[in-house]
Amino acid sequence: MTTERWASVEDVARHLGVAKDSVYRWIETRSLPAHKIGRLWKFQFSEVDEWVLDNVSEWPPFFEKLKTLDECARLIGAGKKVVLS
């Protein structure tokens, strides 16, 4: 069994193609799955990806077209960066 490594706020921001401020805001306002370890927030990419897919209908129109995790990864891999409120 492979253990998933813990990701930082910076890792999640890079993974989703958003600013770190968006990640912190989503922890507070949209229930982004995060675990506080000491003073640091840590994440599991599998939980973050599931959260994105479960909440895609609540995102601005840019994200409404995303139907699969592959599409998310394709856009993020293409260097798209968005800051969402």
Side-chain angles (χ1 to χ4, degrees):
M1 181 174 164
T2 306
T3 303
E4 185 176 355
R5 76 173 187 90
W6 289 99
S8 67
V9 169
E10 293 82 9
D11 295 332
V12 171
R14 190 170 34 256
H15 179 68
L16 297 176
V18 299
K20 290 189 309 184
D21 289 342
S22 294
V23 175
Y24 286 118
R25 189 168 39 256
W26 295 339
I27 292 169
E28 292 178 19
T29 62
R30 296 193 182 199
S31 304
L32 177 67
H35 307 269
K36 192 139 192 192
I37 301 174
R39 297 181 312 137
L40 303 175
W41 287 104
K42 295 295 181 177
F43 307 83
Q44 297 285 298
F45 283 133
S46 59
E47 293 176 352
V48 171
D49 292 342
E50 183 177 336
W51 177 82
V52 168
L53 293 176
D54 288 346
N55 293 284
V56 75
S57 65
E58 297 177 20
W59 299 116
F62 174 81
F63 286 101
E64 288 177 5
K65 296 176 184 174
L66 301 178
K67 301 297 181 200
T68 67
L69 193 54
D70 290 339
E71 281 188 72
C72 291
R74 181 181 56 75
L75 287 173
I76 292 165
K80 302 279 184 188
K81 183 168 184 144
V82 289
V83 177
L84 304 174
S85 56

